[in-house]
Amino acid sequence: MGRLGPTEIILIVAVILLMFGGKKIPELMKGLGTGIKEFKNAAKEQPADKKEEEKK
């Protein structure tokens, strides 16, 4: 499998626009950004939790 070229990226974006429409895309991206932010916060908190368990 190779890398995604410009043609493939344009095709993927076109399919997403057809599926969701232009008005839904910003809402989807906002939700995705929020999810990524929560995941990063949870990942940062996890090592602290492990350290506390190791001390016990």
Side-chain angles (χ1 to χ4, degrees):
M1 293 215 153
R3 297 182 186 190
L4 291 177
T7 307
E8 289 87 2
I9 293 172
I10 291 171
L11 182 62
I12 292 169
V13 170
V15 169
I16 290 172
L17 280 173
L18 287 172
M19 289 176 61
F20 297 109
K23 294 182 181 178
K24 292 275 185 179
I25 300 290
E27 293 174 20
L28 291 172
M29 293 299 112
K30 183 177 180 181
L32 181 64
T34 303
I36 291 172
K37 182 189 261 186
E38 289 178 9
F39 179 78
K40 286 183 179 181
N41 288 339
K44 287 180 183 177
E45 291 175 4
Q46 184 181 7
D49 293 340
K50 283 187 177 181
K51 289 179 184 177
E52 290 176 10
E53 289 177 7
E54 291 174 358
K55 289 180 182 178
K56 292 180 180 180

PDB file of all heavy atoms in Angstrom, residues 31-47:
ATOM      1  N   GLY A  31     -16.906  18.205  16.474  1.00  0.00           N
ATOM      2  CA  GLY A  31     -17.025  17.008  17.303  1.00  0.00           C
ATOM      3  C   GLY A  31     -15.748  16.192  17.301  1.00  0.00           C
ATOM      4  O   GLY A  31     -15.322  15.671  18.335  1.00  0.00           O
ATOM      5  N   LEU A  32     -15.121  16.082  16.146  1.00  0.00           N
ATOM      6  CA  LEU A  32     -13.863  15.346  16.043  1.00  0.00           C
ATOM      7  C   LEU A  32     -12.770  16.032  16.864  1.00  0.00           C
ATOM      8  O   LEU A  32     -12.007  15.379  17.579  1.00  0.00           O
ATOM      9  CB  LEU A  32     -13.441  15.230  14.580  1.00  0.00           C
ATOM     10  CG  LEU A  32     -12.157  14.476  14.289  1.00  0.00           C
ATOM     11  CD1 LEU A  32     -12.307  13.020  14.694  1.00  0.00           C
ATOM     12  CD2 LEU A  32     -11.811  14.577  12.821  1.00  0.00           C
ATOM     13  N   GLY A  33     -12.704  17.366  16.761  1.00  0.00           N
ATOM     14  CA  GLY A  33     -11.708  18.113  17.529  1.00  0.00           C
ATOM     15  C   GLY A  33     -11.908  17.964  19.024  1.00  0.00           C
ATOM     16  O   GLY A  33     -10.954  17.791  19.786  1.00  0.00           O
ATOM     17  N   THR A  34     -13.164  17.994  19.454  1.00  0.00           N
ATOM     18  CA  THR A  34     -13.469  17.814  20.872  1.00  0.00           C
ATOM     19  C   THR A  34     -13.061  16.422  21.333  1.00  0.00           C
ATOM     20  O   THR A  34     -12.488  16.256  22.409  1.00  0.00           O
ATOM     21  CB  THR A  34     -14.968  18.040  21.126  1.00  0.00           C
ATOM     22  OG1 THR A  34     -15.327  19.340  20.662  1.00  0.00           O
ATOM     23  CG2 THR A  34     -15.302  17.915  22.601  1.00  0.00           C
ATOM     24  N   GLY A  35     -13.341  15.434  20.508  1.00  0.00           N
ATOM     25  CA  GLY A  35     -12.963  14.062  20.853  1.00  0.00           C
ATOM     26  C   GLY A  35     -11.462  13.887  20.966  1.00  0.00           C
ATOM     27  O   GLY A  35     -10.969  13.221  21.886  1.00  0.00           O
ATOM     28  N   ILE A  36     -10.724  14.483  20.051  1.00  0.00           N
ATOM     29  CA  ILE A  36      -9.264  14.387  20.100  1.00  0.00           C
ATOM     30  C   ILE A  36      -8.725  15.088  21.343  1.00  0.00           C
ATOM     31  O   ILE A  36      -7.809  14.590  22.010  1.00  0.00           O
ATOM     32  CB  ILE A  36      -8.644  14.972  18.812  1.00  0.00           C
ATOM     33  CG1 ILE A  36      -8.970  14.067  17.629  1.00  0.00           C
ATOM     34  CG2 ILE A  36      -7.135  15.149  18.951  1.00  0.00           C
ATOM     35  CD1 ILE A  36      -8.573  14.630  16.284  1.00  0.00           C
ATOM     36  N   LYS A  37      -9.302  16.251  21.670  1.00  0.00           N
ATOM     37  CA  LYS A  37      -8.864  16.991  22.855  1.00  0.00           C
ATOM     38  C   LYS A  37      -9.102  16.167  24.125  1.00  0.00           C
ATOM     39  O   LYS A  37      -8.228  16.073  24.987  1.00  0.00           O
ATOM     40  CB  LYS A  37      -9.625  18.311  22.950  1.00  0.00           C
ATOM     41  CG  LYS A  37      -9.202  19.182  24.121  1.00  0.00           C
ATOM     42  CD  LYS A  37     -10.147  20.357  24.283  1.00  0.00           C
ATOM     43  CE  LYS A  37      -9.589  21.590  23.663  1.00  0.00           C
ATOM     44  NZ  LYS A  37     -10.412  22.786  23.926  1.00  0.00           N
ATOM     45  N   GLU A  38     -10.267  15.531  24.229  1.00  0.00           N
ATOM     46  CA  GLU A  38     -10.568  14.699  25.392  1.00  0.00           C
ATOM     47  C   GLU A  38      -9.635  13.500  25.461  1.00  0.00           C
ATOM     48  O   GLU A  38      -9.193  13.108  26.547  1.00  0.00           O
ATOM     49  CB  GLU A  38     -12.019  14.246  25.346  1.00  0.00           C
ATOM     50  CG  GLU A  38     -13.007  15.350  25.600  1.00  0.00           C
ATOM     51  CD  GLU A  38     -14.449  14.887  25.490  1.00  0.00           C
ATOM     52  OE1 GLU A  38     -14.693  13.672  25.381  1.00  0.00           O
ATOM     53  OE2 GLU A  38     -15.333  15.757  25.513  1.00  0.00           O
ATOM     54  N   PHE A  39      -9.324  12.908  24.315  1.00  0.00           N
ATOM     55  CA  PHE A  39      -8.414  11.770  24.284  1.00  0.00           C
ATOM     56  C   PHE A  39      -7.027  12.167  24.769  1.00  0.00           C
ATOM     57  O   PHE A  39      -6.404  11.446  25.555  1.00  0.00           O
ATOM     58  CB  PHE A  39      -8.334  11.199  22.869  1.00  0.00           C
ATOM     59  CG  PHE A  39      -7.395  10.040  22.742  1.00  0.00           C
ATOM     60  CD1 PHE A  39      -7.772   8.789  23.176  1.00  0.00           C
ATOM     61  CD2 PHE A  39      -6.132  10.212  22.210  1.00  0.00           C
ATOM     62  CE1 PHE A  39      -6.907   7.709  23.064  1.00  0.00           C
ATOM     63  CE2 PHE A  39      -5.257   9.150  22.088  1.00  0.00           C
ATOM     64  CZ  PHE A  39      -5.647   7.896  22.517  1.00  0.00           C
ATOM     65  N   LYS A  40      -6.537  13.327  24.323  1.00  0.00           N
ATOM     66  CA  LYS A  40      -5.219  13.799  24.758  1.00  0.00           C
ATOM     67  C   LYS A  40      -5.200  14.066  26.260  1.00  0.00           C
ATOM     68  O   LYS A  40      -4.226  13.731  26.940  1.00  0.00           O
ATOM     69  CB  LYS A  40      -4.826  15.063  23.992  1.00  0.00           C
ATOM     70  CG  LYS A  40      -4.414  14.804  22.570  1.00  0.00           C
ATOM     71  CD  LYS A  40      -3.980  16.080  21.885  1.00  0.00           C
ATOM     72  CE  LYS A  40      -3.539  15.834  20.468  1.00  0.00           C
ATOM     73  NZ  LYS A  40      -3.103  17.067  19.799  1.00  0.00           N
ATOM     74  N   ASN A  41      -6.266  14.680  26.769  1.00  0.00           N
ATOM     75  CA  ASN A  41      -6.338  14.943  28.209  1.00  0.00           C
ATOM     76  C   ASN A  41      -6.343  13.643  29.000  1.00  0.00           C
ATOM     77  O   ASN A  41      -5.684  13.529  30.033  1.00  0.00           O
ATOM     78  CB  ASN A  41      -7.569  15.778  28.544  1.00  0.00           C
ATOM     79  CG  ASN A  41      -7.444  17.207  28.084  1.00  0.00           C
ATOM     80  OD1 ASN A  41      -6.352  17.706  27.867  1.00  0.00           O
ATOM     81  ND2 ASN A  41      -8.576  17.870  27.910  1.00  0.00           N
ATOM     82  N   ALA A  42      -7.083  12.653  28.519  1.00  0.00           N
ATOM     83  CA  ALA A  42      -7.125  11.358  29.204  1.00  0.00           C
ATOM     84  C   ALA A  42      -5.764  10.669  29.149  1.00  0.00           C
ATOM     85  O   ALA A  42      -5.347  10.029  30.109  1.00  0.00           O
ATOM     86  CB  ALA A  42      -8.190  10.478  28.578  1.00  0.00           C
ATOM     87  N   ALA A  43      -5.065  10.810  28.033  1.00  0.00           N
ATOM     88  CA  ALA A  43      -3.752  10.195  27.894  1.00  0.00           C
ATOM     89  C   ALA A  43      -2.745  10.852  28.844  1.00  0.00           C
ATOM     90  O   ALA A  43      -1.860  10.187  29.374  1.00  0.00           O
ATOM     91  CB  ALA A  43      -3.265  10.300  26.459  1.00  0.00           C
ATOM     92  N   LYS A  44      -2.882  12.152  29.066  1.00  0.00           N
ATOM     93  CA  LYS A  44      -1.974  12.847  29.993  1.00  0.00           C
ATOM     94  C   LYS A  44      -2.252  12.444  31.431  1.00  0.00           C
ATOM     95  O   LYS A  44      -1.341  12.373  32.247  1.00  0.00           O
ATOM     96  CB  LYS A  44      -2.139  14.361  29.854  1.00  0.00           C
ATOM     97  CG  LYS A  44      -1.549  14.923  28.602  1.00  0.00           C
ATOM     98  CD  LYS A  44      -1.751  16.424  28.528  1.00  0.00           C
ATOM     99  CE  LYS A  44      -1.222  16.989  27.234  1.00  0.00           C
ATOM    100  NZ  LYS A  44      -1.475  18.433  27.130  1.00  0.00           N
ATOM    101  N   GLU A  45      -3.502  12.187  31.762  1.00  0.00           N
ATOM    102  CA  GLU A  45      -3.864  11.832  33.129  1.00  0.00           C
ATOM    103  C   GLU A  45      -3.501  10.398  33.466  1.00  0.00           C
ATOM    104  O   GLU A  45      -3.252  10.077  34.607  1.00  0.00           O
ATOM    105  CB  GLU A  45      -5.369  12.032  33.331  1.00  0.00           C
ATOM    106  CG  GLU A  45      -5.776  13.488  33.299  1.00  0.00           C
ATOM    107  CD  GLU A  45      -7.286  13.665  33.370  1.00  0.00           C
ATOM    108  OE1 GLU A  45      -7.998  12.661  33.514  1.00  0.00           O
ATOM    109  OE2 GLU A  45      -7.727  14.809  33.274  1.00  0.00           O
ATOM    110  N   GLN A  46      -3.438   9.528  32.486  1.00  0.00           N
ATOM    111  CA  GLN A  46      -3.199   8.118  32.732  1.00  0.00           C
ATOM    112  C   GLN A  46      -1.866   7.839  33.434  1.00  0.00           C
ATOM    113  O   GLN A  46      -1.846   7.111  34.406  1.00  0.00           O
ATOM    114  CB  GLN A  46      -3.276   7.326  31.435  1.00  0.00           C
ATOM    115  CG  GLN A  46      -3.140   5.841  31.648  1.00  0.00           C
ATOM    116  CD  GLN A  46      -3.204   5.069  30.348  1.00  0.00           C
ATOM    117  OE1 GLN A  46      -3.219   5.659  29.275  1.00  0.00           O
ATOM    118  NE2 GLN A  46      -3.222   3.771  30.440  1.00  0.00           N
ATOM    119  N   PRO A  47      -0.738   8.395  33.009  1.00  0.00           N
ATOM    120  CA  PRO A  47       0.517   8.089  33.707  1.00  0.00           C
ATOM    121  C   PRO A  47       0.486   8.489  35.185  1.00  0.00           C
ATOM    122  O   PRO A  47       1.040   7.798  36.024  1.00  0.00           O
ATOM    123  CB  PRO A  47       1.556   8.899  32.944  1.00  0.00           C
ATOM    124  CG  PRO A  47       0.986   9.048  31.587  1.00  0.00           C
ATOM    125  CD  PRO A  47      -0.502   9.152  31.807  1.00  0.00           C
TER     126      PRO A  47
END
